[in-house]
Amino acid sequence: MSSAPEKPRILALFDVDGTLTIPRGEVTEPMMTFMKDLSKKITVGIVGGSDLPKQEEQLGAGIAKVFPYNFSQNGLVAYKDGELQEIQTISKHLGEDNVKRVVNWVLKYLSSVDIPIKRGTFIEFRSGMFNISPIGRNCSREERNDFEKFDLANDIRKDMVAAMKKDFSDLDLTFSIGGQISFDCFPNGWDKTYCLKYLPKEDFDEIHFFGDKTFEGGNDYEIFSHERTIGHTVTSPEDTKEQCTKLFMS
């Protein structure tokens, strides 16, 4: 990390998929160069739902040490200035019996869902959440794009979330639809606002958040609409760059 930015009390937090990269894609060299230039102007942080290895696949090895703040799994794995701050796990929070209950329910439900194709890795256990994909995370990019269209027309993910909310009402879980093919399931309060605990109010005059899934039910909604943040909806990495240039680079 370089020296302090010109305006260290202005912080901008960025989602990954659809904000800094195309969904599940790698950041382009010009985009990363822009982000590094931006970090000379203001304080920059990354907050993504995926785990750190996936974040590194998209943003590059060692990304946790590139910017002052890096939050993977919504902040359940938190880095400040390249140093690990905390790791929280869903298995500790829920207990193994409830973890098995969720996994078994998902596999049974998906066995009866009729969609054009199914692949593999329908439920991914992450330290802070379950990531659930009706088509399976092993699908190709073309299959991913096709499923997104099918899902928008048939509410596959929305219907599954509604069923889980009913059957797991006792566990106080949040369900968040993000990306093209999956949704996240995690304890209440473990959305992206979790990262705000590492950002003392007295340290910042403004906290901006940039994300693409900022609609209610999207995985950026809670932090986008939080009282401590100034939320910005973006449609692509190019849009992120354009908005940040107008706000911070002039």
Side-chain angles (χ1 to χ4, degrees):
M1 278 170 285
S2 58
S3 57
E6 293 177 13
K7 298 178 180 179
R9 294 183 61 82
I10 296 178
L11 169 65
L13 296 171
F14 295 87
D15 168 51
V16 180
D17 270 5
T19 301
L20 298 180
T21 74
I22 62 172
R24 292 304 306 143
E26 296 180 9
V27 69
T28 64
E29 189 173 334
M31 189 65 189
M32 182 54 75
T33 298
F34 174 80
M35 292 299 294
K36 290 178 179 178
D37 288 342
L38 180 64
S39 69
K40 297 174 185 176
K41 298 286 188 179
I42 61 172
T43 303
V44 169
I46 308 295
V47 53
S50 295
D51 59 22
L52 186 56
K54 283 190 173 63
Q55 205 178 94
E56 288 187 321
E57 288 176 11
Q58 293 184 264
L59 300 179
I63 187 62
K65 298 184 178 181
V66 174
F67 301 111
Y69 292 96
N70 183 280
F71 305 109
S72 54
Q73 299 186 70
N74 292 346
L76 300 177
V77 179
Y79 282 83
K80 180 183 178 183
D81 297 328
E83 298 293 327
L84 181 64
Q85 304 296 300
E86 181 189 37
I87 298 179
Q88 177 61 277
T89 68
I90 196 170
S91 56
K92 283 194 298 185
H93 182 81
L94 292 181
E96 292 298 345
D97 285 345
N98 282 321
V99 169
K100 287 190 293 183
R101 184 179 153 205
V102 171
V103 171
N104 291 342
W105 188 99
V106 167
L107 295 176
K108 183 177 180 180
Y109 181 95
L110 289 178
S111 71
S112 63
V113 171
D114 185 25
I115 58 178
I117 63 169
K118 293 181 181 178
R119 292 299 179 245
T121 312
F122 300 101
I123 182 165
E124 187 173 79
F125 178 82
R126 301 174 181 172
S127 65
M129 68 181 72
F130 303 99
N131 178 263
I132 298 162
S133 174
I135 186 177
R137 297 192 65 86
N138 291 356
C139 61
S140 68
R141 180 167 297 281
E142 183 180 358
E143 291 164 345
R144 173 186 289 266
N145 292 340
D146 288 344
F147 174 80
E148 182 180 32
K149 295 173 186 174
F150 184 84
D151 181 53
L152 287 171
N154 295 277
D155 290 333
I156 302 299
R157 288 185 290 178
K158 284 184 179 179
D159 289 348
M160 188 172 180
V161 164
M164 290 190 75
K165 283 182 176 179
K166 179 181 177 181
D167 286 0
F168 295 102
S169 59
D170 59 309
L171 295 186
D172 294 324
L173 297 173
T174 292
F175 299 87
S176 184
I177 296 173
Q180 296 175 287
I181 62 168
S182 66
F183 62 91
D184 296 328
C185 167
F186 47 85
N188 289 342
W190 286 23
D191 52 63
K192 286 179 180 173
T193 61
Y194 191 91
C195 76
L196 297 176
K197 65 183 282 189
Y198 301 103
L199 306 170
K201 291 183 179 181
E202 61 270 19
D203 287 0
F204 300 101
D205 296 325
E206 297 176 8
I207 298 177
H208 296 257
F209 172 77
F210 295 83
D212 66 319
K213 294 291 190 296
T214 57
F215 52 85
E216 189 167 2
N219 65 354
D220 295 325
Y221 175 75
E222 289 84 4
I223 190 168
F224 170 82
S225 58
H226 195 273
E227 61 181 8
R228 289 191 61 198
T229 67
I230 302 168
H232 305 270
T233 302
V234 300
T235 58
S236 66
E238 292 73 22
D239 187 34
T240 301
K241 183 176 179 180
E242 184 176 334
Q243 291 194 38
C244 285
T245 299
K246 291 178 180 178
L247 282 167
F248 308 123
M249 306 290 274
S250 58

